[in-house]
Amino acid sequence: MTTRPRFLGAGGRVGTFTVDADNTGTGRNTWEPFIDTWNDRMGDLYPLPEFSASTVDGFQGTMRSVTLQDTAVNELWGSSPVSTKAVGTDEHDQVRLYVGLRGAVALQDPHDQGGDAYVSTGTYFMHHVVTENHFHTTPEIGTRIYIFPGDALRSLVAGKPRAGLATSPAAQILMAHTDTVQRTVSDLGPAAAHASRNALLELAKGLVLDRFDDREPVFTPALAQAAKDLAETRLTDAELSPAAIAAHLHVSVRTLQRAFASLEESFSAYVRRRRLEEAAAALTAPGIRLSVSEAAARWHFTDSSHFIRSFKKHFGETPAQFVRRSK
């Protein structure tokens, strides 16, 4: 287990702690240190339920927690089921957001749901937690569990849980911001940590309301990252363009361009660079390799000459020279 706490004063902390059963051994010796760290860092604010013996003894996977003051994101990837044993009777005031990445999480009769809730791959569920409920997962599981202070989001979900698709524009921007926080949390100073925490809350509100303030500067890095994530899945799509991505994310092209203004490259430059990098990999891949004309067509350059010129400008050599050097 690795722990990178940073103290912010007034009881606030920012950092991450991770447990990986694949690296540190399975079961109790892996699971319990993570729980102990959580109880030390966040237990007074957000006490955990007691987990089943089969969860503790058979844990296989990775659990990572990122904490930003009174907010946390726990990400679980496992190949063993996780379930609760006892949930206690303490009264809570928190809002939880579950996002399904693989498999499913079943929440047993959340107090405000009127029946069980199931969070499967590609969906989310957000509710106000007053009393703890049992839950269990499928053996193959991937999920993000956000925990927010009740007073920040209670008014939006109290008595009316929200569920939807994790592919919605608001969800994708929230997930992109989360990715960034997970990568950078150990380097955040107090001001940046506070801003990241506030952005998480505001983007969670946007998820409920299905909109966010695209003029707010704090959201522009998340918007740019969400655009990059979408572009990565569409590099061979002839219709990939700033207009198409902006429409998918429900923002204007101008807003998208503004999100990239502080970065080293525009959205179009990012797409061109990534297409060239993917083409270079395909040209030198083991087995059947693409020809220059095939690479130009797949990654939507006007013709072979345009592709060769762009390739040489980026890599400093022609595709043929690049391939010869890679042999």
Side-chain angles (χ1 to χ4, degrees):
M1 182 186 67
T2 58
T3 305
R4 303 184 189 91
R6 184 184 297 236
F7 296 89
L8 299 179
R13 299 182 183 182
V14 57
T16 179
F17 45 101
T18 305
V19 58
D20 186 346
D22 293 332
N23 292 335
T24 60
T26 62
R28 188 173 299 274
N29 292 335
T30 296
W31 182 264
E32 288 187 340
F34 180 88
I35 299 302
D36 289 344
T37 304
W38 175 273
N39 288 335
D40 178 62
R41 295 279 305 279
M42 304 291 283
D44 291 342
L45 190 60
Y46 302 127
L48 291 173
E50 183 180 351
F51 292 91
S52 66
S54 60
T55 295
V56 175
D57 293 332
F59 178 67
Q60 291 274 4
T62 301
M63 174 71 106
R64 184 184 188 202
S65 178
V66 169
T67 59
L68 293 169
Q69 300 170 299
D70 58 359
T71 298
V73 183
N74 296 324
E75 184 160 329
L76 167 66
W77 291 92
S79 55
S80 60
V82 176
S83 62
T84 53
K85 176 182 179 182
V87 296
T89 58
D90 294 335
E91 187 168 303
H92 300 298
D93 181 19
Q94 59 183 265
V95 170
R96 288 187 203 160
L97 166 62
Y98 297 80
V99 180
L101 306 174
R102 180 177 71 183
V105 177
L107 308 176
Q108 182 179 320
D109 197 23
H111 78 280
D112 52 357
Q113 170 71 6
D116 295 347
Y118 298 91
V119 188
S120 56
T121 305
T123 69
Y124 70 83
F125 177 76
M126 185 191 297
H127 74 129
H128 180 223
V129 180
V130 174
T131 56
E132 192 69 65
N133 58 275
H134 282 286
F135 75 88
H136 65 270
T137 75
T138 52
E140 295 290 331
I141 181 63
T143 185
R144 276 179 177 169
I145 305 172
Y146 298 74
I147 306 179
F148 302 109
D151 58 4
L153 298 169
R154 183 193 315 115
S155 62
L156 295 178
V157 295
K160 47 186 178 188
R162 303 304 179 101
L165 296 177
T167 53
S168 71
Q172 289 182 315
I173 293 170
L174 171 62
M175 295 291 276
H177 178 66
T178 304
D179 291 340
T180 300
V181 169
Q182 288 178 328
R183 289 195 305 269
T184 63
V185 64
S186 60
D187 300 321
L188 295 180
H194 186 68
S196 293
R197 176 261 189 196
N198 289 346
L200 275 176
L201 289 173
E202 291 302 316
L203 289 170
K205 290 179 184 177
L207 183 63
V208 175
L209 300 172
D210 197 28
R211 66 178 186 274
F212 73 102
D213 185 357
D214 58 20
R215 297 166 298 179
E216 173 56 55
V218 73
F219 298 149
T220 55
L223 177 58
Q225 186 60 52
K228 289 179 179 181
D229 292 343
L230 279 171
E232 287 294 326
T233 67
R234 301 183 179 186
L235 291 175
T236 58
D237 183 352
E239 303 302 317
L240 175 60
S241 67
I245 295 299
H248 185 94
L249 293 173
H250 294 183
V251 298
S252 68
V253 173
R254 185 175 181 180
T255 296
L256 182 65
Q257 292 170 337
R258 190 166 61 242
F260 278 81
S262 62
L263 303 182
E264 295 180 354
E265 56 189 353
S266 66
F267 175 78
S268 295
Y270 172 81
V271 170
R272 183 169 56 253
R273 173 174 63 82
R274 289 293 300 120
R275 280 175 163 169
L276 286 168
E277 290 170 349
E278 290 296 302
L283 287 170
T284 57
I288 300 176
R289 297 175 178 176
L290 296 183
S291 67
V292 169
S293 60
E294 289 171 335
R298 176 174 294 186
W299 281 281
H300 304 289
F301 289 85
T302 306
D303 52 37
S304 296
S305 296
H306 178 215
F307 174 66
I308 293 170
R309 288 194 303 271
S310 298
F311 194 99
K312 185 174 183 179
K313 183 177 180 180
H314 182 73
F315 291 103
E317 55 189 345
T318 66
Q321 292 169 333
F322 185 87
V323 169
R324 285 197 297 271
R325 185 173 56 79
S326 67
K327 290 182 179 179

